[in-house]
């Protein structure tokens, strides 16, 4: 009967894993071309998976391509990845990233392109808009002018109004690569009857106009400072008389203890109104805030509800 053969020291050594002495074999970048400001992914490769983690040195050699100083190859790994960041450029630029470990150096190229702007155009003014054509004293709204294409350079759109009580800046700037610009419109705090006006925008031979109706807005809103009854006295004053269509004022209360209507219409020809809100009975003093809104102006008044008696 044959006896089993015992493995000797030489046989044992032949089956043991070979020690890994990692060597840098390459570096790559994906994608190889990016637009300035975008990022790319870099990868280093080594010839075998090391028993211990180690670092590979990186250097881009150009300020346009920013790389970390080192990338770590993990234990048992044969590759490691890192992020390359780029800055904007005015012309295409190709830089070389160098990875180094010991005496071995490997390189990879990355091309950075400038941002592509839309083709140059000869813009035409195609839009002038306001959030509403019904304005009131003290209103401040944002208007918009639009062009039919994005200019290669900033363009200035001239602005004007048909009445000094409605003011806009002299120009709105549509920036290069954009098709619209905003501007602020303000109605002055003055006493006046309702009047018609317009806002105009001009660029080259293009002229656009937006008609507006301007009505007297809120000048004051008051509540009695303290109320021990279920009726809370209030008053509203306009900058001038309410127009023939009347004036609709919106209300809100921050407490269910004081009930206010959603809206109230001031009579044509009136400068304001005095009225009452209905309050709940309270057992301890309660402060309530009420707002009155007309156009973009909101006024706030406060009342303290106290127990009766």
């Amino acid at each position: 009967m044959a006896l089993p053969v015992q493995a000797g020291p030489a046989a044992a050594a032949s089956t043991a894993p070979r020690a890994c002495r990692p060597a840098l074999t390459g570096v790559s970048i994906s994608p190889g071309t990016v637009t300035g400001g975008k990022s790319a992914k870099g990868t280093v490769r080594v010839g075998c998976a090391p028993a211990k983690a180690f670092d590979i040195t990186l250097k881009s050699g150009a300020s346009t391509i920013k790389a970390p100083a080192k990338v770590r190859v993990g234990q048992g790994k044969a590759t490691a990845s890192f992020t390359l960041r780029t800055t904007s450029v005015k012309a295409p630029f190709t830089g070389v990233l160098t990875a180094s470990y010991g005496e071995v150096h490997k390189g990879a190229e990355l091309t950075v392109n400038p941002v592509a702007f839309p083709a140059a155009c000869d813009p035409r003014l195609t839009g002038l808009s306001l959030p509403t054509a019904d304005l009131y004293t003290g209103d401040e709204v944002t208007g918009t002018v639009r062009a039919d294409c994005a200019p290669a350079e900033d363009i200035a759109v001239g602005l004007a109004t048909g009445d000094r009580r409605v003011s806009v800046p002299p120009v709105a700037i549509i920036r290069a690569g954009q098709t619209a610009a905003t501007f602020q419109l303000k109605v002055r705090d003055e006493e006046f009857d309702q009047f018609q006006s317009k806002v105009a925008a001009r660029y080259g031979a293009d002229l656009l106009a937006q008609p507006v109706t301007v009505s007297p807005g809120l000048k004051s809103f008051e509540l009695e400072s303290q109320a021990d009854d279920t009726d809370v006295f209030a008053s509203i004053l306009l900058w001038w008389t309410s127009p023939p269509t009347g004036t609709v004022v919106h209300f809100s209360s921050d407490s269910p203890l004081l009930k206010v209507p959603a809206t109230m219409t001031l009579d044509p020809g009136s400068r304001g109104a005095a009225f009452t809100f209905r309050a709940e009975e309270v057992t301890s003093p309660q402060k309530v805030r009420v707002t009155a809104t007309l156009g973009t102006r909101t006024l706030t008044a406060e009342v303290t509800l106290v127990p009766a008696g």
Side-chain angles (χ1 to χ4, degrees):
M1 182 174 82
L3 297 176
V5 178
Q6 300 292 325
S14 65
T15 59
R18 296 173 59 187
C20 169
R21 291 190 175 183
L24 178 64
T25 60
V27 59
S28 60
I29 300 173
S30 179
T33 301
V34 297
T35 301
K38 301 294 185 180
S39 299
K41 179 183 177 182
T43 302
V44 292
R45 300 181 301 278
V46 296
C48 61
K52 293 183 179 180
F54 68 98
D55 291 333
I56 292 177
T57 301
L58 302 173
K59 187 175 181 180
S60 74
S63 60
T64 299
I65 302 172
K66 301 182 183 299
K70 297 179 180 179
V71 60
R72 171 151 292 197
V73 179
Q75 178 183 356
K77 304 291 184 181
T79 63
S81 297
F82 55 93
T83 298
L84 291 166
R85 305 188 186 281
T86 67
T87 60
S88 60
V89 294
K90 294 183 178 180
F93 171 84
T94 299
V96 177
L97 173 76
T98 302
S100 303
Y101 183 65
E103 299 300 320
V104 179
H105 308 282
K106 300 290 182 179
E109 290 186 346
L110 176 63
T111 298
V112 183
N113 286 328
V115 175
F117 285 99
C121 75
D122 183 13
R124 297 290 306 274
L125 192 62
T126 57
L128 168 62
S129 61
L130 298 171
T132 177
D134 294 315
L135 303 174
Y136 297 88
T137 312
D139 268 358
E140 293 187 45
V141 298
T142 300
T144 304
V145 290
R146 298 186 182 279
D148 63 347
C149 63
E153 299 180 350
D154 294 356
I155 63 172
V157 179
L159 300 173
T161 69
D163 192 288
R164 66 174 184 80
R165 292 167 290 187
V166 181
S167 62
V168 293
V171 295
I173 305 297
I174 298 181
R175 300 297 180 185
Q178 305 293 318
T179 59
T182 60
F183 61 92
Q184 297 302 118
L185 176 151
K186 179 174 173 54
V187 181
R188 296 184 183 180
D189 287 339
E190 292 184 15
E191 295 183 343
F192 53 74
D193 285 321
Q194 184 183 72
F195 66 91
Q196 308 294 318
S197 185
K198 65 180 179 180
V199 179
R202 180 187 292 276
Y203 178 70
D206 301 324
L207 176 63
L208 301 177
Q210 168 69 61
V212 294
T213 300
V214 187
S215 304
L218 288 179
K219 187 171 186 178
S220 67
F221 169 52
E222 297 179 351
L223 296 175
E224 60 179 313
S225 61
Q226 182 172 298
D228 60 359
D229 196 356
T230 55
D231 289 329
V232 175
F233 293 95
S235 65
I236 278 182
L237 181 64
L238 299 178
W239 276 89
W240 202 243
T241 58
S242 179
T245 55
T247 301
V248 179
V249 181
H250 297 259
F251 294 97
S252 67
S253 170
D254 70 352
S255 171
L257 294 173
L258 186 60
K259 295 178 172 57
V260 300
T263 62
M264 175 182 293
T265 301
L266 303 182
D267 294 334
S270 66
R271 282 290 304 268
F275 45 91
T276 59
F277 293 136
R278 189 72 175 175
E280 299 289 337
E281 294 184 356
V282 296
T283 58
S284 62
Q286 302 287 329
K287 182 176 289 186
V288 180
R289 293 181 178 85
V290 179
T291 62
T293 301
L294 180 56
T296 64
R297 172 168 286 182
T298 295
L299 301 180
T300 301
E302 293 183 352
V303 60
T304 300
L305 306 179
V306 297

